[in-house]
Amino acid sequence: MLVKESQSLISNRSYWPLAFLYGLFGLTSVAYEVLWARMLSLQFGVSIFAVVLTVAAFMGGLGAGSLFAARRASQIKRPLLLLAALEGGIVVFALVLPLILQMTSAGMENAAAQLSLFQWYGLIASVALCLLLFPAFIMGAGFPLILASLGNMPERLGKIYGLNTLGAACGALLPLWLLPSLGWVWSVRVVAAIGCLCVIALLLLSPRYGTVQVAENKVSASRPRFTFLFAYAGIGAASLILQIAWTRLFGMVMLRTEYVLSVILASFLLGIGIGSLIAPRQHRQVWFVILPIAAGGFSILSLWLLPALSAWVERTEFTSLFEALSMQGLLLTLVTLPVTLALGAWLPLLNSRSNGGGVWLYGANSLGAALGAVVAGVVLIPVWGSSGTVVMAASVLLILGLTWAQSRAAWLAVPFFLMAAWPVIKLPSVSALMPQAHAGSRDLYFYEDAISMTHVVEQQNGQRVLLTDLQRMDASTDPTAVFVQSNQARLPLLLHEQPRSVLFLGLGTGISVAGSLAFPDLDRSAVELSQGAINSAGTWFTPLNRNALRQAKVERDDVRHFLSASRDQYDVIIGDVFHPDLAGSSSLLSVQQFQRVHNRLSENGLFVQWLALNQFDNKSLNVIFNSFKLAFPDAQLFLDGMHLALVGPRQEFMGAQGLLHNLQRMSLEQQNEATASEGGWTWLGRYWGPLPGNRGQVQDEWSPVIEFHLPRARYAGKLDVANLLQTLLNTRPKVEVAANFLGILDSDIDAFERAYIGSELITRSWLAAARGATQQANQLTHLAHKANAKDRWIAYALADMMFLSLVQAREHGLSEKEALQKILHLNPYHVEAVRALWRIERKAGDARAEVSRAHLLELSPLDLEANMSRN
């Protein structure tokens, strides 16, 4: 009788205030998870290890906490008071954690010197588990406590779980607003403040939800049988495996920025929350047939839809980041919604079927999810790839789900499932995923692990492209691109008086390393985290990098860890071009990273960080300038084509005398190769003055800026190269000031001035062309060539201009062949002119055609037409 009265009292009492509060706790929990993953990504570099570890610790703690409190919750007189105390403890922990990290960071940096990369990962994993399991355990204990305060009524579990998960979906997005505005520490404090307000609300509500539970102890649920729990733990493992694989695949398609990762997580949680809220109250047997077929089948359908989704993202133009995220997030939600709805509906239905054992099921599912996260990141993705991992997860969802179906006919779905899954077990080709950028291409090489996904793609003309995570083009074998990559080594090594050692931060295709081969007595080292890139550089790009890796020591390591762990010092360190708006990449442009590089330079060492102008706007560029100057106060700026070189000397910048002394120790042949036949004055003419900078914003590892700003700027159309060129021209010092700073001797002033003026004129030509002033651009190009005919960028621009006007050459009495010969006299490196001349000679049966073909292959060894003609 007492139990019936208690149940009646509970049913008449509104649970919405507590449900709303528990939804807010879901928001704070996942916001903490995202922020903690961000913290761990600083240690693990650009990989999914941080995500895997955070999710594993988070889900493992939730599961253990829930199972621990499952038996005890209904015996507590005032469960809300205990819940308030536990949540208050999480708030305190969150506020103290930044202080703990600051206190331990120096010790962790020192430990890096004693450990290999994967030993370092093991140490970080152990420390992170110790730090994150505690708050996650407390969060997990909250689920039984909130249910106990509501009388453990089975029909309410789905609503409570669903609202908590919807709050979690909002929590996945909250850091996107907090981090760029407040930085990591203050973002944690804001989330902690929300948690603190929720704790106060719990304390105020506690008197209304207290005494019922004492009379209602007998209502508490018993534990489901072990096989029941084991099956639902398997569902949890498959769910997290699927989430991590989807994060890799859809993040790759949508361009993996900090924003996209949170949108994917929010989409996943949104579907689970809605599924739990709309789940039928009755556990009719038909639902246990529908759910596994829907979860497994639509997971496979997501792989079939991946090429279409990728092609849509590639061809669609968005006017703002908000529009891009909204549209892409909506489409992603629609693709994944049938699966996530099924995942959300399972718990309420199984809770009803097990007579109220939902708390136990929740705990088992969370523990399974923790295991699934680790298995996905460490085993399945490296072995099966992301597509194969989705198929594996879908298979587990189908098979384990059907164990509750109690229908033999339902198992007929399995062979149909396998037939649908087999064609998509491997990732589609790049030409299918990106039909505009890589139409007609073919995949030469594919490698995937937990770090990244690497493709080597052969284009229709025979050139090869190195892709990381599909949309990120690291480098190509296009002759102009090869020149740019080689220059990344030439300029830094030329500016040092006598370099004996060089370290490349990033390997790419290995062509940058090849640019150092002309420099004598040089020890070469390179650090690259992607094994796929290392393999590609050693095989598929050897025709262009001249097997440079055989003369270099390549370390597979994260740059951050390597610089912290190494005690070697280098005369020259070169920072490769990379995509700064990708998740985790921007830390390579932080104040802390620049300081680590500074510590690894020898006494007269030099660091050069390369930046691609088309990836920045003025604001983000100034942030990097400010950050760089904190580590290198005497930093200088050079401009090579559309790439900026931030030159940071450890002590003083050597200037012209350092470069000239460097060249004097080489033979004439070595000098030509080291300067790309442009001469030392051309390189000094690319000097652009002291690095601009002020006391404005900096890129700090704990206060990130550019990875949140750049995606907004890109979609808003603010990544305007013309604006950057104009800004750079406005800040460039006059030639007299530059000559005085560089220490140019009076006898060399004329040579320097011609090179300096030539580089400025060609830059103004590019600016005019970008603004549509074609005639002005052409005039400036001619003037630039008169100033310095040795500058390859000027020669390329003038040759391009002449090549595009071949038809007009006839009006001046020149045949096409004569016009081409004139272009090649001006610029013997112009590939299109060489190819056109070869075609004319071959068609005419001219014996010199073979000489032109050999010249073409010398400039472009992978040219498909020239290589096919050889056969």
Side-chain angles (χ1 to χ4, degrees), residues 236-274:
S239 301
L240 255 294
I241 291 172
L242 183 63
Q243 179 189 341
I244 289 175
W246 270 351
T247 299
R248 164 61 64 80
L249 289 174
F250 292 120
M252 167 193 72
V253 166
M254 297 165 65
L255 194 59
R256 194 184 66 189
T257 66
E258 297 279 358
Y259 291 96
V260 169
L261 296 180
S262 291
V263 168
I264 293 173
L265 177 59
S267 300
F268 195 85
L269 293 171
L270 178 66
I272 292 176
I274 295 173

Side-chain angles (χ1 to χ4, degrees), residues 336-382:
T336 61
L337 190 61
V339 181
T340 54
L341 287 176
L343 296 177
W346 244 316
L347 180 60
L349 289 172
L350 291 174
N351 176 62
S352 176
R353 181 166 175 171
S354 62
N355 298 317
V359 172
W360 295 92
L361 290 167
Y362 172 83
N365 184 266
S366 298
L367 288 178
L371 178 62
V374 175
V375 170
V378 177
V379 179
L380 293 180
I381 287 180

Side-chain angles (χ1 to χ4, degrees), residues 522-546:
L522 187 64
D523 290 331
R524 301 171 184 85
S525 301
V527 184
E528 174 60 58
L529 186 58
S530 169
Q531 185 62 52
I534 296 173
N535 296 346
S536 301
T539 52
W540 298 101
F541 292 97
T542 52
L544 279 302
N545 64 36
R546 297 184 285 168

Side-chain angles (χ1 to χ4, degrees), residues 388-557:
T389 299
V390 171
V391 171
M392 176 66 71
S395 303
V396 174
L397 290 175
L398 176 65
I399 293 170
L400 288 181
L402 287 178
T403 61
W404 292 308
Q406 298 179 356
S407 169
R408 293 183 179 179
W411 288 92
L412 294 175
V414 174
F416 291 100
F417 169 87
L418 294 176
M419 286 189 291
W422 183 253
V424 292
I425 200 168
K426 291 186 178 180
L427 192 72
S429 66
V430 171
S431 60
L433 293 170
M434 300 190 71
Q436 289 185 338
H438 297 284
S441 66
R442 67 187 184 101
D443 295 359
L444 295 179
Y445 174 73
F446 175 73
Y447 182 92
E448 183 178 9
D449 57 19
I451 305 297
S452 62
M453 182 185 295
T454 303
H455 279 96
V456 178
V457 176
E458 185 179 74
Q459 297 176 325
Q460 289 180 302
N461 60 1
Q463 302 302 329
R464 294 172 184 171
V465 177
L466 177 65
L467 298 174
T468 300
D469 293 336
L470 190 63
Q471 294 194 53
R472 181 179 131 199
M473 189 179 81
D474 281 353
S476 80
T477 60
D478 178 80
T480 303
V482 171
F483 177 59
V484 171
Q485 294 169 70
S486 299
N487 284 359
Q488 288 182 7
R490 289 188 180 114
L491 176 65
L493 291 169
L494 282 170
L495 292 177
H496 193 282
E497 187 177 18
Q498 188 174 347
R500 298 181 181 85
S501 59
V502 60
L503 172 65
F504 294 87
L505 303 181
L507 180 65
T509 58
I511 296 172
S512 295
V513 179
S516 71
L517 294 179
F519 294 83
D521 304 322
L522 187 64
D523 290 331
R524 301 171 184 85
S525 301
V527 184
E528 174 60 58
L529 186 58
S530 169
Q531 185 62 52
I534 296 173
N535 296 346
S536 301
T539 52
W540 298 101
F541 292 97
T542 52
L544 279 302
N545 64 36
R546 297 184 285 168
N547 279 314
L549 268 62
R550 293 183 180 180
Q551 301 182 49
K553 179 182 179 182
V554 179
E555 293 279 351
R556 188 192 181 194
D557 203 343

